[in-house]
């Protein structure tokens, strides 16, 4: 009976979200029609003139951020970016700005449910879970702060919000996060899954497939010995309960073999995640586990710690991404052009089929900030450019003048995958420069990021030699430096996803960083510097 009542309430919530989505769709149409007037107003407000320089993230921009923070007063907080650059960036967030970021997500979610006619809107977000979650200085952590048990209605719509309850944290300590996630999914039976990175969902499904018995211990104990669990755990379970949850839990507990997601959580019909840039390997893996015939992939808008870059726009079931974020002034530079004010273009000056880097200004210290993110203009929707993120502009590293770029590495990876089936598109490859202190010359490491840190039958020495040959073909300077003995041969290695993220961003950052982590084909830090603990942050 409890499950039926909860599902009836979930249906009422879904109707409310659909109505909100309709209203917000109308609001977005109005905002779209006023976009160019708004951009002119922001240009005046931020004091942008024809001579205002374009700034990378550095001392000058940091000073502007500090001035904006001083103006904000006691409400000023700071988020740090994840490890996609040699130095993390400190970004200003006021309480008002955090509210706007949350509302932007609500806006997208409600319009998505309305446009795609999603009937079960309950959402499970793969947010941090356990005692180490939500305790770092990332934007994700700020957005997911939760004190105590969320309201009853909120638990029905967003079951992930119980993650920070002490009862759930206790379960994570005893059974680990994957087991607790499966328990929540089976009980709540949400309609939509969300993670910023598709790798998070992919790893969850991989762990269930490879260690099913281990990760179903919680459900087995719950079904066989419910009396040993604390009253608070039972209270949380009752809040999340849905129709058929007891039968699903029993089926999971009795199964010796992994069960598909549609058995554990049959109401799931869609999953939303970031699809831009370099996450294709994880998307390919998810497409295998979550068949497109049953599950709909909802691409997310571009949102960096520094600024929201695009906003989702629905026309029936077609999704576009427009430069329509609140309080953001957008300018663009065509790929290949120099960062000079005279090369800046406004949104209406872009051309379909061309790629542009995005330059933004906002009231939080960003003043003609060169994001370094490249977007392809796919066309125009409602008079605004439809922008899809393609890659980072400034992915380059050089020990001795070889100037190895992300594009070089991606070309090599494509060739390697074509020749070695073990490196299929569902496994992530990356390149990290390395110069051990006890070795006279540097080299590059090629890392295969696997779900469980296992060698997948790759002939390591052969692959490293061939990789070196391919890099020499795409980069003549690399070949010269290698043949002259100034660069060592490529070395190939394996890491689990968790160990890789810990290496790049620091294990003490907490699991929140896994959600916002940026997977790149080339990193601009050396392997040795990544092993050092990050500087303490105030």
């Amino acid at each position: 009976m409890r499950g039926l009542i909860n599902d009836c309430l979930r249906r009422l919530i879904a109707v409310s979200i659909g109505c909100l989505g309709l209203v917000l769709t109308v609001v977005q149409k109005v905002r779209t029609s006023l976009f160019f007037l708004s951009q002119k107003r922001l240009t005046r407000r931020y004091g942008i003139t024809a001579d205002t320089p374009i700034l990378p993230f550095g001392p000058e921009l940091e000073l502007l951020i500090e001035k904006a923070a001083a103006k904000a007063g006691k409400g000023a907080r700071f988020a740090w970016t994840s490890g996609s650059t040699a130095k993390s960036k400190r970004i200003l967030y006021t309480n008002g700005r955090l509210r706007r970021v949350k509302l932007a997500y609500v806006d997208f979610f409600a319009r998505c449910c309305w446009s795609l006619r999603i009937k079960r809107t309950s959402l499970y977000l793969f947010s941090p879970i356990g005692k180490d979650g939500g305790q770092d200085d990332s934007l994700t952590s700020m957005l997911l702060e939760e004190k105590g048990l969320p309201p009853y209605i909120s638990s029905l719509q967003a079951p992930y919000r119980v993650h920070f309850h002490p009862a759930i944290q206790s379960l994570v300590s005893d059974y680990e996060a994957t087991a607790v996630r499966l328990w929540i999914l089976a009980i709540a039976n949400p309609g939509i899954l969300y993670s910023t990175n598709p790798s998070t969902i992919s790893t969850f499904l991989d762990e269930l497939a490879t260690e099913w018995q281990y990760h179903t211990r919680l459900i087995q104990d719950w079904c066989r010995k419910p009396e040993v669990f604390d009253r608070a755990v039972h209270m949380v379970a009752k809040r999340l309960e849905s129709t058929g949850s007891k039968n699903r839990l029993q089926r999971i507990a009795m199964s010796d073999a992994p069960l598909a997601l549609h058995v554990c959580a049959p109401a799931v019909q869609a999953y939303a995640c970031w699809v831009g840039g370099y996450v294709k390997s994880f998307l390919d893996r998810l497409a295998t586990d979550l068949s497109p015939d049953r599950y709909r992939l909802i691409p997310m808008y571009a949102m960096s710690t520094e600024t929201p870059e695009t906003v989702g726009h629905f026309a029936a079931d077609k999704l576009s991404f427009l430069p329509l974020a609140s309080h953001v002034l957008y300018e663009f530079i065509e790929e290949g052009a120099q960062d000079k004010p005279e090369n800046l273009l406004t949104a209406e000056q872009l051309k379909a089929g061309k790629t542009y880097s995005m330059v933004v200004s906002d009231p939080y210290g960003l003043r003609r900030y060169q994001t370094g993110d490249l977007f392809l203009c796919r066309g125009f929707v409602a008079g605004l450019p439809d922008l899809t993120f393609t890659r980072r502009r400034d992915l380059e590293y050089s020990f001795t003048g070889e100037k190895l770029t992300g594009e070089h590495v991606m070309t090599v990876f494509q060739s390697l995958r074509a020749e070695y089936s073990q490196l299929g598109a569902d496994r992530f490859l990356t390149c990290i420069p390395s110069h051990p202190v006890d070795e006279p010359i540097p080299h590059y490491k090629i890392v295969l990021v696997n779900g469980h840190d296992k060698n997948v039958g790759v002939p390591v020495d052969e692959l490293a030699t061939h990789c070196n040959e391919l890099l020499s073909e795409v980069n003549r300077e690399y070949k010269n430096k290698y043949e002259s003995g100034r660069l060592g041969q490529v070395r190939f290695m394996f890491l689990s996803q968790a160990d890789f993220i810990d290496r790049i961003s620091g294990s003490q950052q907490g699991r929140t960083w896994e959600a916002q982590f940026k997977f790149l084909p080339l990193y601009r830090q050396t392997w040795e510097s990544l092993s050092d603990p990050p500087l303490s942050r105030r």
Side-chain angles (χ1 to χ4, degrees):
M1 180 61 71
R2 168 75 71 163
L4 178 60
I5 293 173
N6 284 350
D7 278 349
C8 288
L9 291 173
R10 288 185 176 102
R11 181 57 184 156
L12 290 175
I13 294 170
V15 172
S16 300
I17 290 175
C19 293
L20 177 61
L22 173 59
V23 173
L24 292 175
T25 298
V26 174
V27 171
Q28 190 185 67
K29 288 183 179 179
V30 174
R31 293 185 60 233
T32 301
S33 66
L34 298 175
F35 173 79
F36 295 108
L37 287 176
S38 174
Q39 291 287 286
K40 291 180 181 179
R41 178 179 59 81
L42 292 178
T43 300
R44 294 191 298 269
R45 177 182 172 185
Y46 301 151
I48 304 297
T49 67
D51 298 325
T52 301
I54 300 169
L55 299 176
F57 201 94
E60 189 172 349
L61 202 68
E62 289 175 319
L63 180 59
L64 292 173
I65 291 175
E66 290 296 334
K67 289 181 178 179
K71 186 177 179 180
K74 295 182 179 180
R77 304 173 63 183
F78 292 92
W80 291 79
T81 60
S82 59
S84 62
T85 54
K87 178 183 177 182
S88 294
K89 304 167 189 174
R90 187 168 177 256
I91 308 298
L92 172 63
Y93 272 86
T94 63
N95 292 331
R97 188 182 189 190
L98 283 172
R99 283 193 297 271
R100 275 191 286 273
V101 173
K102 292 178 181 179
L103 289 174
Y105 181 82
V106 171
D107 170 73
F108 176 84
F109 181 77
R111 289 186 293 105
C112 173
C113 291
W114 162 256
S115 299
L116 301 183
R117 299 296 187 265
I118 295 176
K119 294 183 179 180
R120 192 173 180 90
T121 62
S122 55
L123 170 73
Y124 183 79
L125 191 155
F126 281 73
S127 64
I129 182 171
K131 293 183 179 180
D132 61 346
Q135 297 181 352
D136 57 38
D137 47 15
S138 69
L139 175 58
T140 304
S141 178
M142 289 184 180
L143 294 173
L144 293 173
E145 287 177 338
E146 190 83 60
K147 296 181 179 179
L149 192 66
Y152 177 43
I153 295 298
S154 298
S155 300
L156 293 176
Q157 169 56 27
Y160 67 88
R161 290 185 59 180
V162 305
H163 283 178
F164 296 109
H165 190 275
I168 300 301
Q169 294 182 4
S170 177
L171 290 180
V172 173
S173 297
D174 293 338
Y175 294 96
E176 298 188 6
T178 297
V180 177
R181 291 192 192 280
L182 179 62
W183 180 78
I184 293 175
L185 284 170
I187 295 175
N189 196 22
I192 306 173
L193 306 180
Y194 169 82
S195 71
T196 303
N197 277 319
S199 61
T200 308
I201 303 179
S202 176
T203 299
F204 168 74
L205 296 174
D206 283 348
E207 289 177 345
L208 289 181
T210 57
E211 299 177 296
W212 175 259
Q213 287 295 323
Y214 180 76
H215 292 302
T216 56
R217 290 181 303 123
L218 168 57
I219 293 178
Q220 291 171 15
D221 291 346
W222 178 259
C223 292
R224 298 166 186 170
K225 300 177 292 182
E227 68 278 0
V228 305
F229 290 89
D230 189 84
R231 289 178 59 186
V233 177
H234 284 276
M235 182 267 294
V236 170
K238 287 181 180 179
R239 279 185 168 223
L240 301 180
E241 191 174 339
S242 61
T243 305
S245 59
K246 292 182 180 179
N247 291 335
R248 290 192 296 275
L249 290 169
Q250 287 286 352
R251 185 170 179 182
I252 293 170
M254 295 175 62
S255 178
D256 294 328
L259 297 178
L261 179 65
H262 68 83
V263 176
C264 302
V268 176
Q269 58 181 301
Y271 62 102
C273 62
W274 171 238
V275 301
Y278 312 103
V279 297
K280 185 178 184 300
S281 58
F282 299 109
L283 292 173
D284 289 343
R285 190 183 306 174
L286 274 179
T288 301
D289 294 328
L290 303 177
S291 170
D293 295 335
R294 178 183 290 269
Y295 301 99
R296 176 166 190 149
L297 169 60
I298 303 173
M300 287 300 294
Y301 54 88
M303 170 75 195
S304 68
T305 302
E306 296 94 309
T307 183
E309 295 178 316
T310 59
V311 170
H313 173 84
F314 293 90
D317 63 348
K318 182 180 179 181
L319 179 58
S320 306
F321 296 100
L322 312 181
L324 200 58
S326 176
H327 298 286
V328 178
L329 173 64
Y330 293 97
E331 296 174 287
F332 302 88
I333 292 181
E334 187 172 345
E335 183 181 14
Q338 292 184 320
D339 283 350
K340 295 181 178 180
E342 57 265 30
N343 291 331
L344 286 166
L345 303 171
T346 56
E348 69 268 28
Q349 293 176 311
L350 305 190
K351 295 182 179 179
K354 291 194 173 184
T355 301
Y356 303 87
S357 63
M358 182 180 287
V359 178
V360 298
S361 303
D362 68 16
Y364 308 103
L366 299 185
R367 193 164 183 259
R368 274 196 173 163
Y369 166 57
Q370 173 56 268
T371 66
D373 290 337
L374 291 173
F375 290 83
L376 172 66
C377 177
R378 297 189 295 184
F380 285 79
V381 176
L384 300 184
D386 177 12
L387 303 172
T388 180
F389 176 85
T390 59
R391 63 188 185 278
R392 291 284 300 173
R393 186 181 73 161
D394 50 359
L395 283 185
E396 180 179 288
Y397 198 88
S398 185
F399 281 114
T400 61
E402 69 274 12
K403 294 183 179 180
L404 189 67
T405 69
E407 285 68 34
H408 291 148
V409 173
M410 290 293 284
T411 299
V412 169
F413 290 167
Q414 185 175 4
S415 297
L416 290 176
R417 285 193 167 103
E419 297 181 47
Y420 296 88
S421 59
Q422 304 97 315
L423 302 178
D426 63 345
R427 293 187 173 90
F428 181 73
L429 283 168
T430 188
C431 178
I432 302 176
S434 177
H435 194 174
V437 294
D438 57 347
E439 297 184 17
I441 58 175
H443 65 275
Y444 288 91
K445 295 184 185 298
I446 302 299
V447 182
L448 177 64
V449 182
N450 251 358
H452 296 83
D453 190 16
K454 295 178 180 177
N455 186 319
V456 291
V458 173
V460 176
D461 293 338
E462 175 188 327
L463 192 143
T465 299
H466 190 40
C467 184
N468 214 68
E469 295 169 350
L470 292 172
L471 285 174
S472 298
E473 291 178 9
V474 300
N475 185 323
R476 184 176 296 275
E477 286 302 315
Y478 179 94
K479 179 180 181 181
N480 293 338
K481 302 301 189 292
Y482 172 70
E483 290 181 346
S484 63
R486 284 174 285 178
L487 278 178
Q489 178 167 298
V490 164
R491 299 180 191 177
F492 198 89
M493 63 182 302
F494 303 87
L495 277 182
S496 69
Q497 180 176 303
D499 288 344
F500 175 71
I501 292 175
D502 286 347
R503 184 88 187 198
I504 299 295
S505 63
S507 59
Q508 69 271 46
Q509 294 295 350
R511 304 318 305 166
T512 308
W513 282 74
E514 183 174 350
Q516 73 151 16
F517 187 81
K518 298 180 179 69
F519 287 93
L520 302 173
L522 173 67
Y523 285 87
R524 296 167 63 194
Q525 306 117 292
T526 65
W527 179 256
E528 291 69 35
S529 68
L530 293 172
S531 65
D532 297 330
L535 297 175
S536 60
R537 293 165 178 167
R538 294 177 293 174

